[in-house]
Amino acid sequence: MVDEKLPWTQNQRFEFIEWKLFWEGALNRSDLEEMFQISTPQASIDLRRYRELAGDNIAYDAADKRFKPTSGIKPSFLKVSADRLLLQLRALLTGALPRREVWFRDLPPIDMAPDIVRHVDPDCLRTILAAIRTKQSIEVRYQSLTNSRIREIAPHALAFDGYRWHVRAWACDRDDFRDFVLTRIDQIKPGMAADFDPEDDLEWNTTVTLDLRPHPGLTDEQALAIQRDYAMTDGRRTIEVRLSMAYYFIMRMNLDLTDLPPARAQICLHNLEAIQNNITAARAQSKRRIIERKNRN
């Protein structure tokens, strides 16, 4: 929790103090000196000031010559989040985050299953971002699963499906909105101003609630384990998602496959049919809006 009365750099050092106490269980004055490149007197001032503000969180262990967290530590400057820490560790393993940004003095042993990285060309992404800002089309050579051809598209958003980055765009040659995988674009150049309205992309602009529950074929004991895995309440977990992203979530989690063994499926989408109907209806409504807009013009 940032104290607006303190300078940003001071808040950051206090956050660091609490991070070390909470996650690593110890803090040395030298930790502050090395991390923030500050002098020994300044580190001493920071620790003294922190103890004045949150003394119930920190105690000095004379035997170990280190500061330790108290048993009732309640961080005031650090937003405690296990999810955030685990994401940082994952980013460190993939090379997306430098070692300096993860504040462990000694990293715990960590590893992850191999991740097949899909590298996006920076010039391609830069051109797409410019097109989104200026509402212009771009000309791309796009490799689909069936062919490779030149297409004119007008991007309006970016989306990540859990594995790949897509650009959500108006397909000028098809008069509809589609997803284009960034890594399948191997040529790109700016185009003309595009005549489309992102508000017509109802699959993107409409959100639905996914009703996730343990697979009905699980035993009661197995269902309880799944409820814990997915942080379910009263046997269910609801997730708000865009219609255009619901498709990918359903496919990624195999929620459309009804013949999987219960222990393999683990969860089911209780309102799968309703979600599929919503996607179909949104596409149809988008087409009607597009036709109406063209007729008005």
Side-chain angles (χ1 to χ4, degrees):
M1 182 184 302
V2 174
D3 186 336
E4 296 181 355
K5 298 178 182 178
L6 297 173
W8 178 82
T9 53
Q10 184 74 86
N11 273 293
Q12 188 182 35
R13 294 200 293 272
F14 286 169
E15 180 186 7
F16 175 80
I17 288 172
E18 292 188 338
W19 193 100
K20 299 290 283 188
L21 292 172
F22 189 88
W23 290 117
E24 206 162 26
L27 169 73
N28 288 320
R29 185 175 55 196
S30 60
D31 291 329
L32 281 164
E33 296 170 20
E34 294 170 9
M35 181 64 199
F36 297 100
Q37 298 297 297
I38 59 177
S39 66
T40 298
Q42 181 60 59
S44 297
I45 291 172
D46 287 342
L47 285 166
R48 183 171 65 250
R49 179 63 173 146
Y50 178 77
R51 297 179 79 178
E52 291 172 355
L53 295 172
D56 290 341
N57 289 336
I58 188 171
Y60 185 70
D61 188 323
D64 283 350
K65 296 183 180 180
R66 295 189 298 175
F67 291 96
K68 299 285 187 69
T70 61
S71 59
I73 183 173
K74 294 181 179 179
S76 300
F77 298 88
L78 170 70
K79 183 177 180 181
V80 175
S81 170
D83 293 334
R84 180 185 178 188
L85 178 59
L86 293 174
L87 283 172
Q88 286 180 318
L89 293 176
R90 179 181 177 184
L92 176 68
L93 287 171
T94 60
L97 195 68
R99 172 67 178 87
R100 180 179 174 82
E101 297 299 318
V102 181
W103 289 344
F104 282 107
R105 175 177 286 274
D106 298 309
L107 278 173
I110 55 174
D111 203 351
M112 64 181 285
D115 188 16
I116 301 176
V117 178
R118 295 173 169 87
H119 294 289
V120 176
D121 180 74
D123 289 332
C124 171
L125 181 58
R126 184 168 181 253
T127 302
I128 289 171
L129 291 172
I132 292 174
R133 287 195 305 271
T134 58
K135 201 179 176 182
Q136 288 188 304
S137 68
I138 53 176
E139 187 178 289
V140 302
R141 188 171 74 179
Y142 188 75
Q143 177 67 61
S144 70
L145 293 179
T146 55
N147 59 49
S148 174
R149 64 189 180 92
I150 302 298
R151 303 197 62 166
E152 184 182 2
I153 64 175
H156 75 83
L158 295 171
F160 183 65
D161 67 7
Y163 296 112
R164 305 176 301 186
W165 278 97
H166 300 79
V167 57
R168 185 74 180 172
W170 169 253
C172 302
D173 57 342
R174 295 291 185 89
D175 282 352
D176 62 10
F177 292 96
R178 300 185 176 211
D179 292 325
F180 296 89
V181 180
L182 292 185
T183 50
R184 292 184 182 173
I185 297 173
D186 64 0
Q187 290 183 11
I188 186 170
K189 63 180 181 179
M192 306 285 287
D195 181 20
F196 78 104
D197 188 347
E199 292 300 316
D200 290 338
D201 188 357
L202 296 185
E203 281 184 84
W204 176 264
N205 293 308
T206 303
T207 59
V208 291
T209 300
L210 305 182
D211 185 358
L212 302 175
R213 304 187 185 187
H215 193 283
L218 296 174
T219 66
D220 290 344
E221 186 175 352
Q222 290 172 326
L224 285 174
I226 296 304
Q227 290 180 49
R228 184 175 178 82
D229 281 348
Y230 292 91
M232 294 183 179
T233 302
D234 296 328
R236 62 192 295 194
R237 170 81 181 269
T238 57
I239 299 176
E240 292 292 323
V241 63
R242 296 179 189 273
L243 271 178
S244 60
M245 301 305 293
Y247 166 80
Y248 296 109
F249 182 83
I250 290 169
M251 297 291 287
R252 177 158 56 93
M253 302 297 291
N254 294 322
L255 297 173
D256 58 328
L257 303 180
T258 58
D259 57 348
L260 286 178
R264 173 74 182 277
Q266 297 190 352
I267 60 174
C268 70
L269 181 56
H270 189 68
N271 57 340
L272 173 62
E273 185 176 353
I275 298 299
Q276 292 173 329
N277 290 338
N278 284 338
I279 292 173
T280 301
R283 288 176 180 170
Q285 189 175 352
S286 280
K287 288 181 179 179
R288 288 195 295 269
R289 288 180 59 157
I290 292 165
I291 292 172
E292 290 172 0
R293 182 172 57 82
K294 282 193 168 186
N295 290 337
R296 288 196 300 269
N297 295 339

